[in-house]
Each structure stands twice: as structure tokens, then as C-alpha cells.
Amino acid sequence: MNILDNISSMYTIDAKKSPSKEEEIKALQDFSTIDVPTEFIEIIQLASDIEINVSDQMYIRIWGASGCIEMNEAYEVQKYLPNSIAIGDDEGGGALIYLQGKDGFGIYYTRFADFDIEEAVKIAPSLTELLVNNVGVNTLLDI
């Protein structure tokens, strides 16, 4: 199943760039302190820097492999949130992160300025659940 082709009607893809190259994906897998979820790899093999409009209320952006490495290094994400990988943002100072947090593994939201595992809010168990099945979309919109 291609996640982007099955995206919920609550979302529209307003922009996207070329897919991540295999060597970029390998570099991300080598960089990451966790096993990068297969669903994320599948998405970035289709497109990168995907700007997703969420019910005309906000945007989320899913980075490509190189963007993930760049942003995780720039913000020292793993220093503050071990066992995580930031994969996107809300274009307003918030990060979307795969994280083993207080509510189990999944997609969490936290501010770039405040990487605190206790403050991270679990949005959904996976990108598929968020983007295809709308799990956590209301949590995302309420942030």
C-alpha cells in the first residue's frame, strides 16, 4: 500500500520534492539510533519535503532522508531524546518525531526549543495511522 496514494481526505499534499536517493536512505539508517520504520522509508522513496495541509488548519512537512540527518544534527535531537529520530515539522517550531516515549513507540510532537521527553505528546502509533486512518489528527490540530 502506498501511503501517499491512500492519504485521508483530511489532508492534501500541496508540495513535494524528489524522492530520497538510496545512498541518502542508507546514510539515514546508519545515522539513526533506532531502526527507521519501513513506512517512513517507503514514503521518502516516493517524495521528500512533503508539505501536507491538515484540514486547512495547519501544515506538516515530512522531510527526506538528508533533511532528517541535517535537522537531527542541527538540533541535537538524540542528545535530548535518545532512541528517536525527528522526521518532520509543523512549519512553526514543532517537530514530528518517532520516539519511544511515555505512551510507547510512535509519532510524537514536541517543540524544537524544548526537547523534553515528558513534554512530548504522542500523536499516533505510526505515520500510516495518522495519514491514512486519521488516528491522532485531532490531537495534532489541538496542539
Side-chain angles (χ1 to χ4, degrees):
M1 175 182 78
N2 175 336
I3 294 172
L4 298 181
D5 285 345
N6 290 292
I7 200 166
S8 159
S9 61
M10 292 190 75
Y11 304 98
T12 54
I13 296 173
D14 286 358
K16 61 185 175 182
K17 294 185 180 171
S18 301
S20 295
K21 296 179 174 81
E22 286 305 314
E23 58 269 17
E24 294 171 323
I25 293 169
K26 175 80 169 90
L28 174 63
Q29 291 169 318
D30 291 344
F31 169 84
S32 181
T33 57
I34 64 169
D35 287 335
V36 180
T38 303
E39 66 174 7
F40 182 71
I41 300 295
E42 290 171 355
I43 288 173
I44 64 175
Q45 287 173 329
L46 298 169
S48 63
D49 295 327
I50 306 164
E51 294 185 17
I52 302 170
N53 180 320
V54 185
S55 295
D56 291 327
Q57 295 181 49
M58 70 178 296
Y59 277 90
I60 57 174
R61 177 176 37 220
I62 306 299
W63 307 321
S66 294
C68 282
I69 295 170
E70 181 181 314
M71 296 298 281
N72 279 271
E73 286 180 337
Y75 287 95
E76 301 180 280
V77 175
Q78 289 68 36
K79 175 180 175 182
Y80 300 104
L81 299 170
N83 303 315
S84 71
I85 188 85
I87 59 158
D89 66 272
D90 68 355
E91 300 185 341
L96 296 174
I97 302 176
Y98 278 113
L99 172 66
Q100 182 64 48
K102 61 186 178 284
D103 296 317
F105 185 80
I107 303 289
Y108 283 75
Y109 177 90
T110 189
R111 307 293 298 167
F112 281 109
D114 185 29
F115 282 137
D116 181 344
I117 199 158
E118 294 304 315
E119 299 297 321
V121 176
K122 187 173 184 181
I123 302 296
S126 69
L127 270 177
T128 304
E129 288 296 309
L130 177 64
L131 297 176
V132 175
N133 299 325
N134 296 327
V135 173
V137 67
N138 290 330
T139 303
L140 187 63
L141 291 171
D142 288 344
I143 291 176

